[in-house]
Coordinates of all heavy atoms in Angstrom, one line a residue:
F1 N -0.2 -2.6 9.3 CA 0.3 -2.0 10.5 C -0.8 -2.2 11.6 O -1.8 -1.7 11.6 CB 0.5 -0.5 10.4 CG 1.5 -0.1 9.3 CD1 1.1 0.0 8.0 CD2 2.8 0.1 9.6 CE1 2.1 0.3 7.0 CE2 3.8 0.4 8.7 CZ 3.4 0.5 7.3
H2 N -0.4 -3.1 12.6 CA -1.4 -3.6 13.6 C -1.0 -3.2 15.0 O 0.1 -3.5 15.4 CB -1.5 -5.1 13.4 CG -2.5 -5.7 14.4 ND1 -2.3 -6.9 15.1 CD2 -3.8 -5.3 14.8 CE1 -3.4 -7.2 15.8 NE2 -4.2 -6.2 15.7
R3 N -1.8 -2.5 15.7 CA -1.6 -2.1 17.0 C -0.2 -1.4 17.2 O 0.5 -1.7 18.2 CB -1.7 -3.3 18.0 CG -3.2 -3.9 18.0 CD -3.2 -5.1 18.8 NE -2.8 -4.9 20.2 CZ -3.7 -4.7 21.2 NH1 -5.0 -4.7 21.0 NH2 -3.3 -4.5 22.4
S4 N 0.1 -0.6 16.2 CA 1.5 0.1 16.3 C 1.3 1.6 16.5 O 0.6 2.2 15.7 CB 2.2 -0.2 14.9 OG 2.5 -1.6 14.8
Q5 N 1.8 2.1 17.5 CA 1.7 3.5 17.8 C 2.6 4.3 16.8 O 3.7 3.8 16.5 CB 2.2 3.8 19.2 CG 1.3 3.1 20.3 CD 1.8 3.5 21.7 OE1 2.2 4.7 21.9 NE2 1.6 2.6 22.6
G6 N 2.1 5.4 16.3 CA 2.8 6.2 15.4 C 2.3 6.1 14.0 O 1.2 5.6 13.7
T7 N 3.1 6.6 13.0 CA 2.6 6.7 11.6 C 3.7 6.4 10.7 O 4.9 6.3 11.0 CB 2.2 8.2 11.3 OG1 3.4 9.0 11.4 CG2 1.1 8.7 12.3
V8 N 3.4 6.1 9.4 CA 4.3 6.2 8.3 C 4.5 7.7 8.0 O 3.6 8.4 7.6 CB 3.7 5.5 7.1 CG1 4.6 5.7 5.8 CG2 3.6 4.0 7.3
T9 N 5.7 8.2 8.2 CA 6.0 9.6 8.1 C 6.9 9.9 6.9 O 8.0 9.4 6.8 CB 6.6 10.1 9.4 OG1 5.8 9.7 10.6 CG2 6.9 11.6 9.4
L10 N 6.4 10.7 6.0 CA 7.1 11.2 4.9 C 7.9 12.4 5.4 O 7.5 13.6 5.0 CB 6.2 11.5 3.7 CG 5.3 10.3 3.3 CD1 4.5 10.7 2.1 CD2 6.1 9.0 3.0
R11 N 8.9 12.2 6.1 CA 9.6 13.2 6.9 C 10.4 14.2 6.1 O 10.4 15.4 6.3 CB 10.5 12.5 8.0 CG 11.1 13.5 9.0 CD 10.1 14.3 9.8 NE 10.7 15.2 10.7 CZ 11.0 16.5 10.3 NH1 10.7 16.9 9.1 NH2 11.6 17.3 11.2
H12 N 11.3 13.6 5.2 CA 12.1 14.4 4.3 C 12.1 13.7 2.9 O 11.8 12.5 2.8 CB 13.5 14.5 4.8 CG 13.7 15.1 6.1 ND1 13.3 16.4 6.5 CD2 14.2 14.6 7.3 CE1 13.6 16.6 7.7 NE2 14.1 15.5 8.2
G13 N 12.4 14.5 1.9 CA 12.4 13.9 0.5 C 11.1 14.0 -0.2 O 10.1 14.2 0.5
N14 N 11.1 13.9 -1.5 CA 10.0 14.2 -2.3 C 9.6 13.0 -3.2 O 10.4 12.1 -3.4 CB 10.3 15.4 -3.2 CG 10.8 16.6 -2.4 OD1 10.1 17.0 -1.4 ND2 11.8 17.3 -2.9
G15 N 8.4 13.0 -3.7 CA 8.0 12.0 -4.7 C 7.8 10.6 -4.1 O 8.1 9.6 -4.9
N16 N 7.3 10.5 -2.9 CA 7.1 9.1 -2.4 C 5.7 8.7 -2.5 O 4.8 9.5 -2.7 CB 7.5 9.1 -0.9 CG 9.0 9.4 -0.7 OD1 9.8 8.6 -1.0 ND2 9.3 10.6 -0.2
L17 N 5.5 7.4 -2.5 CA 4.1 6.8 -2.7 C 3.8 5.9 -1.6 O 4.6 5.0 -1.2 CB 4.1 6.0 -4.0 CG 2.9 5.2 -4.3 CD1 1.6 6.1 -4.4 CD2 3.0 4.3 -5.6
V18 N 2.7 6.1 -1.0 CA 2.1 5.2 0.1 C 0.8 4.7 -0.4 O -0.2 5.5 -0.5 CB 2.0 6.0 1.4 CG1 1.4 5.1 2.5 CG2 3.3 6.6 1.9
E19 N 0.7 3.4 -0.7 CA -0.5 2.9 -1.3 C -0.8 1.5 -0.9 O 0.0 0.7 -0.6 CB -0.4 2.9 -2.8 CG 0.6 1.9 -3.5 CD 0.5 1.8 -4.9 OE1 -0.4 2.5 -5.6 OE2 1.3 1.2 -5.6
G20 N -2.1 1.3 -0.8 CA -2.7 -0.1 -0.6 C -2.3 -0.7 0.8 O -2.2 -2.0 0.9
N21 N -2.0 0.1 1.8 CA -1.7 -0.4 3.1 C -2.9 -0.5 4.0 O -3.9 0.2 3.8 CB -0.7 0.5 3.8 CG 0.6 0.6 3.0 OD1 1.5 -0.3 2.9 ND2 0.8 1.7 2.3
L22 N -2.9 -1.3 5.0 CA -3.9 -1.5 6.0 C -3.4 -1.1 7.4 O -2.4 -1.7 7.9 CB -4.5 -2.9 6.0 CG -5.5 -3.3 7.1 CD1 -6.8 -2.4 6.9 CD2 -5.8 -4.8 7.0
F23 N -4.0 -0.1 8.0 CA -3.6 0.3 9.3 C -4.8 0.0 10.3 O -5.9 0.4 10.1 CB -3.5 1.9 9.4 CG -2.3 2.4 8.5 CD1 -2.5 2.5 7.1 CD2 -1.1 2.7 9.0 CE1 -1.5 3.0 6.3 CE2 -0.1 3.2 8.2 CZ -0.3 3.3 6.9
I24 N -4.5 -0.8 11.3 CA -5.5 -1.3 12.3 C -5.1 -0.9 13.7 O -4.0 -1.4 14.2 CB -5.7 -2.8 12.2 CG1 -6.0 -3.2 10.8 CG2 -6.8 -3.2 13.2 CD1 -6.1 -4.7 10.6
G25 N -5.9 -0.1 14.4 CA -5.5 0.4 15.7 C -5.7 -0.7 16.8 O -4.9 -0.7 17.7
G26 N -6.7 -1.5 16.7 CA -7.0 -2.5 17.7 C -7.1 -2.0 19.1 O -6.8 -2.8 20.0
G27 N -7.7 -0.8 19.2 CA -7.9 -0.3 20.6 C -6.7 0.3 21.2 O -6.7 0.8 22.3
E28 N -5.5 0.3 20.6 CA -4.3 0.8 21.1 C -4.2 2.3 21.0 O -4.5 2.9 20.0 CB -3.1 0.2 20.4 CG -1.7 0.4 21.0 CD -1.5 -0.5 22.2 OE1 -2.2 -1.5 22.3 OE2 -0.6 -0.2 23.0
A29 N -3.8 3.0 22.1 CA -3.6 4.4 22.1 C -2.5 4.8 21.1 O -1.5 4.1 20.9 CB -3.3 4.9 23.5
N30 N -2.6 6.0 20.6 CA -1.6 6.6 19.7 C -1.4 5.9 18.4 O -0.4 6.2 17.7 CB -0.3 6.7 20.5 CG -0.4 7.5 21.7 OD1 -1.0 8.6 21.8 ND2 0.2 7.0 22.8
T31 N -2.3 5.0 18.0 CA -2.1 4.4 16.7 C -2.5 5.3 15.6 O -3.6 6.0 15.7 CB -3.0 3.1 16.6 OG1 -4.3 3.4 17.1 CG2 -2.4 2.0 17.4
G32 N -1.7 5.5 14.6 CA -1.9 6.5 13.5 C -1.7 5.9 12.2 O -1.6 4.7 12.0
G33 N -1.8 6.8 11.2 CA -1.8 6.4 9.8 C -0.6 6.9 9.1 O 0.5 6.4 9.1
V34 N -0.8 8.0 8.3 CA 0.3 8.6 7.5 C 0.4 10.1 7.8 O -0.6 10.8 7.9 CB -0.1 8.5 6.0 CG1 1.0 9.1 5.1 CG2 -0.2 7.0 5.6
R35 N 1.6 10.6 7.9 CA 1.9 12.0 8.0 C 2.7 12.5 6.9 O 3.7 11.9 6.5 CB 2.7 12.2 9.4 CG 3.0 13.7 9.7 CD 3.2 13.9 11.2 NE 4.4 13.2 11.7 CZ 5.5 13.8 12.1 NH1 5.6 15.1 12.1 NH2 6.5 13.1 12.6
V36 N 2.2 13.6 6.3 CA 2.8 14.1 5.0 C 3.5 15.4 5.2 O 3.0 16.4 5.8 CB 1.7 14.3 4.0 CG1 2.2 14.9 2.7 CG2 1.1 12.9 3.6

């Protein structure tokens, strides 16, 4: 995830897996990671 505003959001549902990802802000505002 490169220079992407927002997050990977586990918004609804259970038992999900987020693994081995690379999140790079690159100086961009509002770049985020994971919301649980």
Side-chain angles (χ1 to χ4, degrees):
F1 299 85
H2 181 219
R3 296 173 63 96
S4 293
Q5 298 182 34
T7 65
V8 171
T9 302
L10 306 182
R11 185 64 183 87
H12 302 299
N14 305 313
N16 296 290
L17 171 64
V18 181
E19 69 170 354
N21 302 283
L22 175 62
F23 297 80
I24 305 172
E28 189 80 17
N30 303 315
T31 46
V34 178
R35 183 157 62 113
V36 172

